[in-house]
Amino acid sequence: LNHIDSDGKFLLHMEKRLIFAFDQYCEGKKTTKSRKRKSKVSNEVSESCEHLIQTFRLLQLLCEDHHLGFQNYLRFQLGHTSSQVNIVKTSCEFLILLCDSKESIQKFTTIEISLVSQILLFLIECIQGPCTGNQELIVKSDVVIALDSIIYSVNRNDEALSEFDPTYIDLKSLMCLLLAAALEGREDQTIRFHLERRLEIESLLSFKANLEFAIRSITQWTKHEGRLPTPAEKSCITTKQTALVALTTVLLELGHDISSKPAKSTRPGGRKKVRWFNELNLSIQNQEEEQAQHTGGGGTLQKTKNGSQRTSSHAPLIGVVEVAWRGKVEKACFPIPFEVKYLPAATKQTFLNEVDMSSSEKRMSALIRKSDYFIAEMGLIYRKVEASPIFLRLHKSLSMFKLTNYGLVVALNLNILLNKSTLGAPYRIIARTYFGDVKLTTYQHMSAAVMIMLGAAVTFGYILITFTMAVTEVPMVIQQIEEELGPHNTALVSALVSSSSSSSSPSSSSSSTSHKTTITYESIWRVWRLNIFALFATIGFIFLHEINFDGTALFYSALIVAINMPLLFQTLRTCVLSCPHSKHSRNYAILYDLFIMKSFLRNHFFLLLCCFLGYFINGEYFSLLLLDVVSISPVIADIIRSVTSPGRALLLVFYLFCVTVFIWASFGMNHFSSSLQVPIALEDGVRGEKSCGSMLQCFYFIFHEALSNQAKLKSFLATAYVGTGNFPMRIVYDTIFVVWVGIILLNVITGLMVDTFSRIREEKQARAVSLANDCFVCGILR
């Protein structure tokens, strides 16, 4: 533009347009006789304001994307032969004339507020980037005095009007953004010196308190009505949060404590009145004075029992973090989402237990990968809590509710333990007592009544716990499934498009088809190979068993289901992600993740099943509820992890133990069959012993007795006497088994679990020390 418009005709036209429209506005204001009501505005004033708004909007759009060249061009035109045009200075003069005093601002009409807002938006856009020349021009002018006037202004002429903000919070928000933009990227003290000298910090602190009050008022009102904020309310909150961030940034840049309270006003104030405007805003009579007087920048005022007022504490709305950048440490402000307090403690603790704490890069990388899940879970819980007060109480007291419910479980089982006779299931007790001929004593009646009440309370408690967790876990699982299936659907569509586009070439089409077939066969074999191997191994075992023993169809079916069904479920879940999916496969993936992958829901569904079995089948199932202590106590959870973490190594050791038992059963049956006396039940309940009738019987016998007697063969084999022919061989046979199994293998199993538990404990201690002493983000010592 500097080369094309060397005479500056464009800026001259813009300046003349602005001056002409502003002169028309001033003439219209002089001829206006009544300014007490907003509705009485002359057409001349409205038209001139519209022309000014449109012109400033055009200039603002030309400065978009922090166009430094055009920003400077608005202030100084290099190489122009004609006179210079300073649009920035002209805009500042207009703003100063419009906001020359607090009284004139208080009489603003709606169109005038829009005009001042547009001028502020233009000035913000022409200094962001930053543009240092425009920053200094604005700060050194009387614009700062005009901003002070805006801070103190309240529209007292029409406070009851619900279609606009009577406290000018939106206008003051733009003022905060302008101040923050003026301090952007300034390493010198020029801007700070002028602002500290001409700005009134107390007014900024008071407005900061008003912004916080307005944001909390909207959220409290929506919470009071039991609903979520509407889109208009969300936009209002976002605007105020942006202004609050800008205002906090200005206060920090000027070296003021953002937690300090504004000074008390000396003006007398009446009782604070709260009014709601169009479900969007809260206006307070004399808000600037009384908000500082009563709350001091704190929370809202509440009445106590004796009628006095107290300030309620609130969570902070703005977060401040120190960032090391270019050799300096700077403070950055950001709005804290309202849902941040709803991050579940279990989710946070699980992340801290699993994240790699060795370096800050690994920690932050894991946090970034997990952040989407955190945000989605917090947002989901926030929406549920805001829509349902019952869910809020359940969510807050979930841990205490679990402990209370487990206490009822202990009391229920203690009642069963101390009962002199077996009562059975509560349902059967009721049926036999009221519909049968069974008569219970007084103490049995009391014990049965306690059992029925405790069983019902425990069942209801687990229903509430499971429902509370399912409300948050089910949508999260569905969202994860959709995210997992999304890229595969895109890849499938791309593959189909590329296949159709390459169909014109026969050679390329055939090669592409062969390559696609190879990949398909490889993927099928990679996914299903473990299932195929397990199925053939099961069929082979059934075939060998049928040859040597008489088996039943029920036994063989149960064997196939027990071995192959878990693998089949897992394989089908994998195929959902690697193959085109349908509605049924999506639902299957959701159910699999809920009942198999989500341990909390899986365990509580199992406990809920035990409750129903104990209530309707037999009371013995209530004893399984005591296992819930694993999900309550972190210490017991670590003990369980010490067994499950080295699971692969423990399985290999167990396999080696089975191989050892088989070897000893083979040699024992051939050389020491008379010593291997298996206990049997004879007729009329008489018990006796006999030698092993088969290799499988010897294997079962040695396997059971070796585990029961800590691998001491002497304790369950017939005694070998000195002088017999097989005595030396029995010594070798017994001693090697005791050394290999009793000393080595069993101690290896114990060592694996103890080492794992020690490692888990050391990792937890190291994590606790790192979290207490190191910054999670940068790793610098606190």
Side-chain angles (χ1 to χ4, degrees):
L1 188 60
N2 203 12
H3 296 287
I4 298 175
D5 187 18
S6 58
D7 295 332
K9 294 181 179 180
F10 172 74
L11 289 184
L12 283 173
H13 175 72
M14 290 291 106
E15 186 181 38
K16 290 179 180 179
R17 178 183 174 88
L18 289 174
I19 294 174
F20 177 78
F22 193 76
D23 290 340
Q24 291 292 107
Y25 165 78
C26 294
E27 290 294 330
K29 294 292 287 184
K30 290 179 181 180
T31 57
T32 303
K33 297 181 179 179
S34 176
R35 299 180 57 186
K36 294 184 179 181
R37 298 186 59 86
K38 286 183 179 243
S39 58
K40 293 185 178 180
V41 181
S42 64
N43 294 332
E44 187 179 0
V45 172
S46 298
E47 291 178 0
S48 58
C49 287
E50 286 293 338
H51 288 307
L52 288 170
I53 291 173
Q54 293 174 4
T55 307
F56 280 116
R57 177 61 177 165
L58 173 63
L59 295 173
Q60 175 196 349
L61 294 176
L62 291 175
C63 294
E64 284 288 344
D65 201 19
H66 310 325
H67 196 292
L68 182 60
F70 191 78
Q71 289 172 337
N72 289 320
Y73 180 75
L74 291 174
R75 184 187 74 256
F76 176 75
Q77 299 80 41
L78 182 64
H80 278 203
T81 57
S82 59
S83 60
Q84 295 289 322
V85 177
N86 195 336
I87 298 293
V88 180
K89 183 179 179 181
T90 303
S91 304
C92 293
E93 292 173 353
F94 288 172
L95 182 62
I96 294 168
L97 292 174
L98 287 170
C99 305
D100 57 345
S101 65
K102 183 176 63 174
E103 288 74 16
S104 61
I105 299 175
Q106 289 176 350
K107 297 178 182 179
F108 270 169
T109 61
T110 303
I111 191 67
E112 290 172 321
I113 293 176
S114 301
L115 173 59
V116 175
S117 299
Q118 185 57 58
I119 295 176
L120 290 174
L121 287 172
F122 164 68
L123 293 178
I124 291 170
E125 196 62 42
C126 74
I127 63 176
Q128 282 183 336
C131 179
T132 56
N134 291 345
Q135 285 178 330
E136 294 181 3
L137 189 151
I138 292 174
V139 172
K140 292 179 180 180
S141 66
D142 290 337
V143 169
V144 180
I145 300 175
L147 298 181
D148 265 338
S149 301
I150 294 175
I151 280 287
Y152 282 114
S153 61
V154 176
N155 190 354
R156 302 184 184 277
N157 293 331
D158 210 350
E159 282 190 36
L161 191 63
S162 61
E163 64 181 7
F164 206 78
D165 179 16
T167 57
Y168 295 149
I169 289 185
D170 293 337
L171 192 62
K172 298 173 185 178
S173 302
L174 293 176
M175 179 269 301
C176 296
L177 294 176
L178 179 60
L179 291 176
L183 289 165
E184 180 183 349
R186 301 292 301 204
E187 298 183 359
D188 56 347
Q189 299 296 322
T190 305
I191 304 295
R192 293 179 179 85
F193 172 76
H194 285 281
L195 290 180
E196 287 178 349
R197 187 169 59 90
R198 307 177 75 178
L199 269 181
E200 295 190 17
I201 302 301
E202 293 299 330
S203 61
L204 295 180
L205 291 173
S206 179
F207 179 58
K208 178 176 176 291
N210 294 334
L211 280 175
E212 293 175 349
F213 188 85
I215 294 172
R216 291 193 175 101
S217 298
I218 298 175
T219 57
Q220 288 176 0
W221 178 248
T222 56
K223 186 176 181 180
H224 174 72
E225 292 187 341
R227 60 177 177 83
L228 294 174
T230 61
E233 289 169 338
K234 289 181 180 178
S235 176
C236 185
I237 291 174
T238 303
T239 302
K240 291 173 174 57
Q241 283 181 329
T242 305
L244 191 57
V245 169
L247 185 55
T248 307
T249 304
V250 171
L251 292 173
L252 290 175
E253 288 287 341
L254 297 180
H256 291 273
D257 185 10
I258 59 174
S259 62
S260 61
K261 301 178 182 180
K264 294 183 179 181
S265 176
T266 58
R267 299 182 182 179
R271 183 179 177 183
K272 186 174 74 169
K273 299 179 181 179
V274 178
R275 305 181 65 184
W276 300 95
F277 292 94
N278 196 24
E279 299 181 350
L280 283 179
N281 228 325
L282 179 72
S283 175
I284 305 171
Q285 184 179 4
N286 298 327
Q287 189 176 13
E288 282 72 14
E289 297 88 358
E290 297 183 6
Q291 177 69 18
Q293 179 180 357
H294 293 299
T295 68
T300 58
L301 293 177
Q302 299 177 351
K303 290 285 185 180
T304 58
K305 292 182 178 180
N306 57 5
S308 62
Q309 291 181 331
R310 62 179 174 85
T311 303
S312 62
S313 59
H314 294 282
L317 298 175
I318 299 298
V320 181
V321 64
E322 293 182 345
V323 180
W325 180 253
R326 294 181 179 178
K328 309 189 297 184
V329 176
E330 298 182 359
K331 293 183 178 181
C333 304
F334 58 93
I336 299 178
F338 295 107
E339 58 267 22
V340 71
K341 60 182 178 181
Y342 296 114
L343 178 64
T347 302
K348 180 180 178 181
Q349 191 60 42
T350 302
F351 172 76
L352 293 178
N353 291 336
E354 296 176 354
V355 66
D356 188 357
M357 302 287 292
S358 59
S359 64
S360 60
E361 290 80 6
K362 293 181 178 180
R363 292 196 295 264
M364 291 306 298
S365 177
L367 182 60
I368 292 172
R369 289 194 301 269
K370 202 71 174 178
S371 60
D372 291 337
Y373 180 83
F374 289 161
I375 294 171
E377 187 174 16
M378 288 188 296
L380 176 64
I381 297 176
Y382 170 72
R383 292 190 294 271
K384 297 292 183 182
V385 165
E386 294 297 322
S388 174
I390 298 176
F391 186 82
L392 172 61
R393 294 184 177 274
L394 287 175
H395 177 74
K396 283 186 175 181
S397 57
L398 184 61
S399 300
M400 184 59 64
F401 190 75
K402 288 175 59 181
L403 290 174
T404 304
N405 198 61
Y406 188 76
L408 295 178
V409 169
V410 173
L412 173 62
N413 285 275
L414 189 61
N415 178 66
I416 297 174
L417 175 65
L418 298 178
N419 193 9
K420 295 181 180 180
S421 60
T422 304
L423 296 176
Y427 174 78
R428 295 179 181 272
I429 296 173
I430 298 173
R432 287 184 299 175
T433 303
Y434 294 98
F435 303 101
D437 55 354
V438 178
K439 295 184 179 181
L440 301 178
T441 64
T442 303
Y443 294 105
Q444 287 178 334
H445 269 294
M446 294 175 61
S447 180
V450 171
M451 184 178 181
I452 292 171
M453 290 187 296
L454 290 177
V458 167
T459 304
F460 180 71
Y462 277 119
I463 289 175
L464 280 182
I465 294 173
T466 307
F467 171 77
T468 304
M469 294 303 301
V471 166
T472 57
E473 292 293 343
V474 172
M476 292 302 301
V477 169
I478 294 176
Q479 180 178 349
Q480 288 180 338
I481 296 296
E482 296 294 340
E483 291 177 355
E484 290 176 354
L485 293 176
H488 295 281
N489 296 337
T490 305
L492 178 63
V493 172
S494 301
L496 293 175
V497 172
S498 62
S499 176
S500 61
S501 62
S502 60
S503 59
S504 57
S505 175
S507 59
S508 62
S509 177
S510 59
S511 61
S512 174
T513 304
S514 62
H515 179 66
K516 182 178 180 180
T517 305
T518 304
I519 294 178
T520 304
Y521 287 150
E522 289 179 356
S523 61
I524 291 176
W525 170 248
R526 184 171 58 253
V527 172
W528 289 93
R529 58 186 176 185
L530 186 59
N531 292 77
I532 295 172
F533 174 77
L535 181 61
F536 277 103
T538 307
I539 294 174
F541 175 80
I542 292 174
F543 177 75
L544 295 175
H545 189 274
E546 184 65 25
I547 292 175
N548 295 279
F549 301 95
D550 293 332
T552 60
L554 180 62
F555 170 73
Y556 294 147
S557 301
L559 188 64
I560 292 175
V561 170
I563 295 177
N564 292 275
M565 288 303 291
L567 294 175
L568 179 62
F569 289 152
Q570 183 179 4
T571 305
L572 290 176
R573 175 65 179 88
T574 306
C575 287
V576 171
L577 299 180
S578 59
C579 304
H581 73 287
S582 62
K583 179 181 178 181
H584 300 292
S585 62
R586 173 181 173 274
N587 295 336
Y588 169 77
I590 293 172
L591 292 177
Y592 181 88
D593 287 358
L594 283 176
F595 290 99
I596 304 299
M597 303 303 296
K598 292 293 182 180
S599 60
F600 190 91
L601 279 178
R602 177 189 64 215
N603 296 343
H604 278 77
F605 274 115
F606 171 75
L607 295 174
L608 198 58
L609 177 63
C610 292
C611 288
F612 285 106
L613 292 176
Y615 210 85
F616 295 101
I617 304 300
N618 199 306
E620 63 187 10
Y621 290 101
F622 284 135
S623 61
L624 297 177
L625 300 177
L626 294 170
L627 296 176
D628 193 22
V629 70
V630 176
S631 64
I632 296 176
S633 174
V635 177
I636 298 180
D638 290 341
I639 295 175
I640 300 299
R641 284 178 57 199
S642 67
V643 179
T644 56
S645 295
R648 186 180 182 88
L650 291 176
L651 286 176
L652 292 175
V653 174
F654 178 74
Y655 172 75
L656 188 57
F657 172 75
C658 294
V659 170
T660 303
V661 171
F662 176 74
I663 293 172
W664 255 254
S666 301
F667 280 89
M669 185 175 180
N670 292 324
H671 298 283
F672 309 106
S673 58
S674 59
S675 299
L676 291 172
Q677 297 296 322
V678 181
I680 60 172
L682 302 177
E683 297 179 358
D684 301 330
V686 180
R687 297 180 180 179
E689 295 181 348
K690 72 171 187 177
S691 300
C692 293
S694 64
M695 181 65 68
L696 185 61
Q697 196 175 36
C698 285
F699 177 83
Y700 288 157
F701 176 65
I702 296 178
F703 184 88
H704 176 264
E705 296 296 334
L707 289 179
S708 303
N709 297 281
Q710 297 183 355
K712 297 178 181 178
L713 288 178
K714 184 179 179 181
S715 61
F716 57 87
L717 295 182
T719 305
Y721 296 97
V722 180
T724 57
N726 60 354
F727 181 75
M729 295 297 296
R730 273 292 305 277
I731 293 176
V732 175
Y733 184 80
D734 295 356
T735 304
I736 294 177
F737 189 85
V738 170
V739 172
W740 173 245
V741 177
I743 297 178
I744 297 178
L745 291 184
L746 295 182
N747 287 332
V748 166
I749 295 174
T750 305
L752 285 173
M753 292 187 292
V754 171
D755 288 346
T756 305
F757 183 75
S758 300
R759 177 176 55 81
I760 292 173
R761 184 178 59 185
E762 291 174 358
E763 288 179 356
K764 291 186 69 174
Q765 292 176 352
R767 288 176 185 274
V769 171
S770 178
L771 291 173
N773 300 325
D774 299 343
C775 175
F776 186 88
V777 177
C778 61
I780 300 175
L781 291 176
R782 299 183 190 275

